[in-house]
Amino acid sequence: VVGLIVSFLGKIISVLIYVLMGFLRYNGFADAAPVVMGWVIVRDFVNMLFIVVLLISAVATFLNADHDLHVKKVLPNLIAAAVLINFSKMIIGLLVDASQVVTLTFVNAFQASGVGNFAQVLGLSDFTTLTNAAPTTNGNRVSTAPEGSNLIFDVLLTYMLAMGMLVISIGVILIMILFTVGRIVGLWILLIVSPAAMFASCMPKKLQKMFGSLEHEFWDKLIGLCTGGPIMAFFLWLSFATVRSAQ
């Protein structure tokens, strides 16, 4: 019964590895339907904010109320924002694609071993192989287990150890799948709100308050998600390469 459970857990790991590889190889961020529709809506809304900023700048210039909001200082920023907003998806998309190139380089390196031979790479097959018998010269098999050992207990302990390793492996793979899915969704969201982030980065500090901490959080999240994929793929490749070289 325990052996069947171990075999079932091994099949679950194989399925999860295929799922993880599928998410790791995903590379359609800028062309995803939510990004295409959401980015257009955010871009059009941000473009309407140009009128608001121009009105504020015109009033401040007329009243000579605030030097930072003078039209001579705001207008160049608006011109730069107009360019960045309408090319924001392409700019952020290039950064994401660069991250994916590094990620896929490591994924392709360990894909064959990770998908087809995961149990062999981790050495889990050794736990389910009994080596307590060896052939003699007359064709009979004699036990090589230590004298007084309980064979049933040894087999059960072996399977329990294998089960424990499989459960831990399943938990780790599930965490990686959740991180990869969260990374994909997070990059979708960043691509969608990229026009607002570009607009906020070009505005004077007093007008940036309208967007709160969007600018800083946007770039922090983008850097974290863009580097998270390659880092995870690198350590996966390193783990597989280290274990295989030790075999």
Side-chain angles (χ1 to χ4, degrees):
V1 173
V2 178
L4 291 175
I5 295 175
V6 170
S7 177
F8 177 72
L9 292 177
K11 295 183 183 299
I12 292 178
I13 282 186
S14 298
V15 173
L16 291 178
I17 285 290
Y18 276 108
V19 173
L20 176 62
M21 292 296 174
F23 284 123
L24 283 175
R25 295 181 64 83
Y26 175 79
N27 198 25
F29 293 95
D31 298 327
V35 174
V36 173
M37 294 184 292
W39 180 82
V40 172
I41 295 173
V42 176
R43 181 202 61 186
D44 294 342
F45 174 77
V46 173
N47 282 329
M48 291 189 296
L49 294 179
F50 277 98
I51 301 175
V52 178
V53 175
L54 283 173
L55 288 174
I56 294 175
S57 178
V59 172
T61 303
F62 179 76
L63 299 176
N64 197 20
D66 194 328
H67 185 263
D68 291 335
L69 298 180
H70 195 278
V71 67
K72 292 183 179 180
K73 297 193 66 176
V74 174
L75 188 58
N77 292 339
L78 286 178
I79 296 175
V83 176
L84 292 175
I85 287 170
N86 291 279
F87 289 95
S88 59
K89 186 173 74 170
M90 184 187 71
I91 296 172
I92 303 303
L94 289 175
L95 296 177
V96 175
D97 289 341
S99 170
Q100 284 301 103
V101 168
V102 180
T103 301
L104 294 177
T105 300
F106 292 112
V107 170
N108 292 331
F110 67 77
Q111 181 181 14
S113 298
V115 175
N117 304 302
F118 185 80
Q120 289 79 3
V121 170
L122 291 181
L124 296 179
S125 58
D126 296 337
F127 282 92
T128 57
T129 301
L130 296 179
T131 58
N132 65 320
T136 60
T137 54
N138 59 2
N140 298 324
R141 303 181 69 86
V142 296
S143 175
T144 59
E147 184 178 355
S149 64
N150 190 324
L151 180 60
I152 297 179
F153 175 79
D154 292 342
V155 172
L156 182 61
L157 180 60
T158 300
Y159 278 122
M160 293 300 293
L161 290 173
M163 186 185 303
M165 289 194 63
L166 288 170
V167 170
I168 294 173
S169 301
I170 289 174
V172 173
I173 297 172
L174 284 175
I175 292 174
M176 290 190 291
I177 290 175
L178 291 176
F179 171 79
T180 307
V181 173
R183 178 173 178 268
I184 293 174
V185 176
L187 290 174
W188 283 355
I189 296 174
L190 292 178
L191 284 167
I192 292 173
V193 302
S194 59
M198 294 293 186
F199 185 76
S201 63
C202 294
M203 290 298 98
K205 292 183 178 180
K206 291 186 178 181
L207 294 180
Q208 286 181 0
K209 295 179 181 180
M210 295 188 304
F211 297 90
S213 59
L214 173 63
E215 178 192 3
H216 299 291
E217 291 185 1
F218 177 85
W219 293 109
D220 290 342
K221 296 292 185 182
L222 181 63
I223 293 173
L225 292 177
C226 284
T227 57
I231 290 174
M232 186 181 72
F234 167 74
F235 280 106
L236 277 173
W237 167 81
L238 183 62
S239 300
F240 281 110
T242 302
V243 173
R244 289 181 66 86
S245 64
Q247 290 180 344

